[in-house]
Amino acid sequence: MTTVISRLGSALGRLVHGADAAEMRVGPGGPLGEIAVPRAGDGVWDVRTVQGRPCLSPDERSHYLYFVLPPDLLSRARSSLWLEVEYLGDRFGQFRVQYASTDRGTEVDGLYKAAEQRWDGDAVGLRRFRRALFPLPDFDPTRTQNQGASFRVEFRREVLITRVTASLAPPADAEAFARVAPLPELRKMPGRFYPINYLFIEITNACNFKCTWCPDDIMGRRRGFMKKEKVFRVLDEIAAKRSWLGPLYPVKLHQMGEPFLHPDLPAIVDYAESRGVGIELNTNCGLITPENIEAVYRAGLTNLILSYQTPDADSFKTRKAPRIAFESYRDKVRLAVERKVAMGARTRLEIDIMNTKYADSYKIVSEDEQALAFLADWIAYARELETRYGLASRAHDMERLRARHFLDQDENGSRYELLDGVVLIWKRCHSWGNVIGEHHVDPEAAEQVAALVSAGAGSGAPPHAGSGKDTYCPAPYDQFVIQWNGDVVSCCTDYEGRTKTANVFASSIEEVWKSETVRQRKQDMLEGRLLDVCARCQGVK
């Protein structure tokens, strides 16, 4: 039946387009039309129905979708071709079109040249079906890629394609595609060959502080420590499966809790780093001593986030740490920087200060001049270290720094390098899933979510289809969070463990990630079926 439909589709396509164009559109059973899409090798695809439309999406082993043009179109495509791709997304296509080119100076002798992508720039952030145009000015019809393809789509993020048209001339509305998209980064695509971006191992959820802007004080989850041997077991799997995991970001030894409370922290860091598994620590700095900070530096720690956050005595009161005065606390943060410089440690340091300029409930650093004063204080300390250790002096132009308006920037835009490998960042206040601070609810989106739930799983449009409220979150696609007791949750802000999918001590990272439970969690997120904790985070409950 599918073959008959495909032939009818091909005949209709020839009537509509003639020999100057060919089309592939996706039906319930797969691709229809003149352009073939092989289903083999590293280009195996599945059909997924989203917002009522069937789409091609590569399976979890594949990075590519290959497209084979019909011979009659190839024979007429002497030097150029135009591709139009219809896909589901919230901006320009997060994929590359790579085509067989006459340009021998590009990748693989021009066989996989990346095409320029043009799009209309409309409604960025709204997840919907969109069109992108790819001109192929030096297309070579005599060359083929894997699977006999003339071009392919490569990606690392979620990709859902519902139609592809190839033509010898640009479409009638080509002028509408006025913006040129940046070339998408080919980072790992969660759920496929490189499945996880951010891997957390919470070695403890105990903490020595009770910060008012952290959910630790209200967390009902039992406190505990992951035994060193169990941490080693998880690290062994990560080290052994590097070819499957790919180039992970440094593994984060935290979710909740203070890692310096763990008695085996230096040994854990040393074990991981010696096996090529980079480690990132996030500390509130209250337990830093010369002995333990030097120990983790000697262990080869990759990243250390100094969660300084409260840079004066008044704001430090929000941390509820009565046994330590602010001046002593600040000295611990400075000690971590000084020891790195003195030891020549490879560890990259990040000093985080809380940016509450646009926060509802907390005022830590909220004024630009206040931020500049704290930055000037850290610059003065950096200069002191430069003098003490004979480092080249960095230039700091305060007028230029004032013009940067750090508190108006995101995390990357607010980054400022004090010394080699030491940066200061203004971190915006985190709501921990709409729990800390004022609880915001979008009534219209909440109504749509309720309608979706009442319609039954898998039916109806996602809640963002009507009003523009997009409830999609990438966390289930790129995070793997192991809590201290081995429970695996889908999001690093799930401090209570309500998104649990499995227990890693009962299986393995790979088995959990490939499980039906995790696959369904991703599908539910894609289609707008939210867990209660996710609905609250998204402001729809």
Side-chain angles (χ1 to χ4, degrees):
M1 183 64 180
T2 301
T3 303
V4 173
I5 294 174
S6 179
R7 288 174 178 171
L8 288 173
S10 297
L12 180 60
R14 284 191 294 272
L15 287 173
V16 173
H17 299 293
D20 290 345
E23 183 182 75
M24 184 285 301
R25 61 197 176 283
V26 184
L32 304 172
E34 307 94 339
I35 301 176
V37 188
R39 194 169 188 254
D42 55 2
V44 177
W45 47 261
D46 294 321
V47 176
R48 293 171 57 185
T49 299
V50 183
Q51 296 188 15
R53 299 180 65 176
C55 302
L56 285 190
S57 182
D59 77 354
E60 294 199 349
R61 298 168 295 168
S62 302
H63 276 159
Y64 309 102
L65 291 174
Y66 290 95
F67 297 87
V68 180
L69 294 174
D72 56 345
L73 181 62
L74 277 176
S75 66
R76 295 169 60 82
R78 302 295 183 189
S79 60
S80 65
L81 198 68
W82 295 79
L83 301 179
E84 183 183 318
V85 179
E86 188 171 0
Y87 62 96
L88 182 69
D90 64 358
R91 62 199 65 221
F92 58 85
Q94 299 296 300
F95 51 82
R96 296 184 186 184
V97 167
Q98 299 168 330
Y99 65 101
S101 164
T102 58
D103 183 358
R104 302 286 175 149
T106 55
E107 190 172 0
V108 196
D109 200 29
L111 191 57
Y112 295 96
K113 183 175 181 178
E116 176 185 86
Q117 179 180 175
R118 301 178 185 177
W119 67 305
D120 60 13
D122 186 40
V124 175
L126 177 60
R127 189 172 171 83
R128 68 182 191 186
F129 282 98
R130 299 172 177 271
R131 295 159 61 213
L133 187 63
F134 298 85
L136 315 184
D138 49 3
F139 176 68
D140 189 343
T142 66
R143 308 178 73 194
T144 57
Q145 305 171 343
N146 289 348
Q147 318 296 338
S150 296
F151 63 93
R152 71 182 183 185
V153 167
E154 183 175 7
F155 52 89
R156 292 295 183 274
R157 302 181 184 180
E158 188 73 28
V159 63
L160 294 160
I161 291 176
T162 190
R163 185 176 63 87
V164 174
T165 301
S167 58
L168 302 182
D173 62 345
E175 292 184 359
F177 300 87
R179 299 182 63 175
V180 176
L183 193 65
E185 293 184 8
L186 292 181
R187 294 172 61 182
K188 296 180 299 177
M189 180 172 180
R192 289 183 167 78
F193 187 67
Y194 300 142
I196 300 168
N197 267 329
Y198 307 104
L199 201 156
F200 297 74
I201 305 174
E202 179 191 69
I203 57 176
T204 181
N205 66 340
C207 191
N208 55 315
F209 283 4
K210 298 294 179 184
C211 305
T212 57
W213 28 265
C214 172
D216 179 87
D217 207 27
I218 60 174
M219 181 174 64
R221 185 160 56 95
R222 187 164 64 93
R223 314 281 172 150
F225 292 78
M226 188 182 294
K227 292 183 178 180
K228 176 179 66 176
E229 293 74 20
K230 290 188 174 181
V231 182
F232 287 178
R233 173 187 156 186
V234 174
L235 293 171
D236 283 341
E237 182 184 0
I238 295 170
K241 295 181 177 177
R242 293 179 66 87
S243 61
W244 176 72
L245 288 166
L248 270 175
Y249 288 98
V251 174
K252 304 171 188 295
L253 290 190
H254 63 273
Q255 182 201 7
M256 297 295 290
E258 169 52 51
F260 274 97
L261 281 171
H262 200 293
D264 298 310
L265 177 62
I268 291 170
V269 174
D270 180 70
Y271 190 88
E273 296 283 358
S274 67
R275 284 156 179 75
V277 179
I279 292 295
E280 177 177 283
L281 294 181
N282 190 323
T283 175
N284 62 34
C285 309
L287 297 175
I288 290 176
T289 65
E291 293 75 21
N292 62 23
I293 197 67
E294 290 179 9
V296 295
Y297 287 159
R298 284 194 299 269
L301 178 65
T302 297
N303 289 345
L304 177 60
I305 298 176
L306 301 168
S307 190
Y308 184 38
Q309 306 298 359
T310 50
D312 60 19
D314 284 341
S315 60
F316 184 66
K317 294 175 183 176
T318 66
R319 309 201 79 155
K320 296 184 179 180
R323 297 182 180 180
I324 181 172
F326 169 72
E327 290 74 15
S328 298
Y329 173 68
R330 181 190 58 199
D331 289 345
K332 289 177 178 291
V333 184
R334 290 183 172 183
L335 173 66
V337 178
E338 186 272 335
R339 287 291 82 199
K340 170 193 162 52
V341 175
M343 296 173 65
R346 65 183 288 270
T347 310
R348 295 186 294 269
L349 300 192
E350 175 184 312
I351 305 167
D352 290 354
I353 300 180
M354 190 178 297
N355 172 6
T356 56
K357 184 172 183 177
Y358 300 101
D360 294 322
S361 305
Y362 295 96
K363 295 299 178 185
I364 305 296
V365 179
S366 304
E367 303 294 334
D368 290 336
E369 289 302 317
Q370 184 187 19
L372 278 175
F374 291 128
L375 177 57
D377 184 56
W378 273 100
I379 288 173
Y381 183 67
R383 284 173 169 162
E384 179 185 325
L385 293 179
E386 288 170 344
T387 301
R388 187 188 311 175
Y389 293 103
L391 305 178
S393 179
R394 287 174 174 266
H396 303 278
D397 187 327
M398 294 307 295
E399 288 306 311
R400 286 190 176 183
L401 294 181
R402 177 175 282 103
R404 286 184 61 175
H405 299 288
F406 288 108
L407 301 187
D408 294 325
Q409 308 299 321
D410 63 10
E411 179 177 323
N412 290 323
S414 73
R415 185 180 299 264
Y416 186 74
E417 189 167 40
L418 297 167
L419 297 161
D420 287 346
V422 181
V423 298
L424 187 148
I425 295 179
W426 302 96
K427 281 284 186 73
R428 294 194 176 183
C429 187
H430 200 294
S431 72
W432 282 91
N434 209 4
V435 170
I436 302 299
E438 294 184 16
H439 179 197
H440 296 279
V441 176
D442 182 332
E444 185 177 357
E447 184 178 341
Q448 291 185 55
V449 169
L452 179 65
V453 172
S454 65
S459 62
H464 52 267
S467 70
K469 172 65 177 180
D470 189 350
T471 61
Y472 175 81
C473 172
Y477 287 80
D478 64 11
Q479 293 189 19
F480 195 96
V481 184
I482 306 171
Q483 297 182 328
W484 71 267
N485 64 349
D487 285 349
V488 178
V489 297
S490 300
C491 176
C492 63
T493 64
D494 179 15
Y495 58 91
E496 293 287 16
R498 290 172 178 155
T499 62
K500 177 183 174 181
T501 56
N503 188 287
V504 77
F505 298 153
S507 53
S508 69
I509 294 172
E510 184 174 4
E511 288 169 348
V512 173
W513 188 254
K514 292 181 176 179
S515 69
E516 176 60 23
T517 301
V518 170
R519 190 205 67 78
Q520 187 60 52
R521 178 67 50 79
K522 296 175 184 178
Q523 186 70 19
D524 287 345
M525 176 58 71
L526 183 68
E527 297 182 359
R529 296 187 295 273
L530 305 182
L531 298 173
D532 284 349
V533 64
C534 300
R536 181 183 178 102
C537 180
Q538 297 279 8
V540 296
K541 186 171 182 177

